[in-house]
Amino acid sequence: MPTFRISSPEDADAHAVLVDYFTLRAAEFPGGNYTPTYPSAAAFRAPDGVFLLLEEEEAVVGCGGIRGVAMPDGEGDVFEIKHVFLRPETRGRGWGRLLLDELEARARALGARALVLDTHHTLEAAGHLYRKSGFVEIPRYNDNPNATRWYRKDLEATRA
């Protein structure tokens, strides 16, 4: 069973998996104009966020993070999910859902009232996972040049 490790996105293990993520995205991106943006450590440091590595038998197999985000309408306590990635050989095991659930739990613990994320329409499995996890499509909230779809999940109504 995989485990989670908090990391700075600038640490060597995190940077290596992010390089793999961005390399794969660039190779698959329509039109070949993918723009990688490496995350800064400050944005993923508590209480503003967290960056997680997913490990299996001490090998890094994926990553993802949450960070507080300024919404266009000034709404507060919204966290953005970023850089959700699993190495291709680990996909189909349910670990994407495991990672997404862990990020949501960590966001709740940091006081998030809602989660948002952006993705590209060609990432069909990711879009399916987000919708199945309670995210709904919303209008654009940022200027990410790699995104074509934006999602949101309100957390207040789902708190136990």
Side-chain angles (χ1 to χ4, degrees):
M1 184 65 152
T3 58
F4 297 101
R5 175 167 51 106
I6 295 175
S7 175
S8 165
E10 296 173 354
D11 287 349
D13 287 343
H15 184 75
V17 74
L18 286 166
V19 166
D20 289 350
Y21 168 55
F22 291 138
T23 300
L24 183 64
R25 287 300 303 134
E28 297 174 344
F29 201 76
N33 57 351
Y34 183 77
T35 306
T37 303
Y38 284 87
S40 71
F44 293 94
R45 193 175 299 130
D48 299 318
V50 67
F51 193 82
L52 299 177
L53 297 178
L54 185 68
E55 298 179 317
E56 173 67 27
E57 297 178 9
E58 298 184 26
V60 176
V61 297
C63 64
I66 54 167
R67 64 183 182 185
V69 64
M71 296 300 288
D73 64 0
E75 178 185 12
D77 299 326
V78 178
F79 280 68
E80 184 177 38
I81 294 176
K82 294 298 293 180
H83 310 301
V84 173
F85 173 71
L86 291 175
R87 295 190 189 278
E89 66 273 14
T90 67
R91 295 178 186 166
R93 301 179 188 180
W95 294 356
R97 179 61 179 254
L98 184 71
L99 178 56
L100 190 61
D101 288 349
E102 184 68 20
L103 291 170
E104 180 177 326
R106 303 245 181 173
R108 286 176 186 274
L110 292 173
R113 294 167 46 115
L115 292 171
V116 294
L117 60 89
D118 59 43
T119 190
H120 195 271
H121 67 274
T122 58
L123 297 173
E124 294 176 17
H128 178 73
L129 172 64
Y130 300 141
R131 289 186 300 277
K132 192 172 180 181
S133 299
F135 285 82
V136 296
E137 203 162 337
I138 61 170
R140 172 188 289 264
Y141 67 87
N142 64 19
D143 61 358
N144 182 351
N146 303 316
T148 57
R149 293 197 177 137
W150 292 262
Y151 290 92
R152 178 185 176 105
K153 181 177 182 179
D154 290 321
L155 300 179
E156 279 190 309
T158 60
R159 288 185 193 234

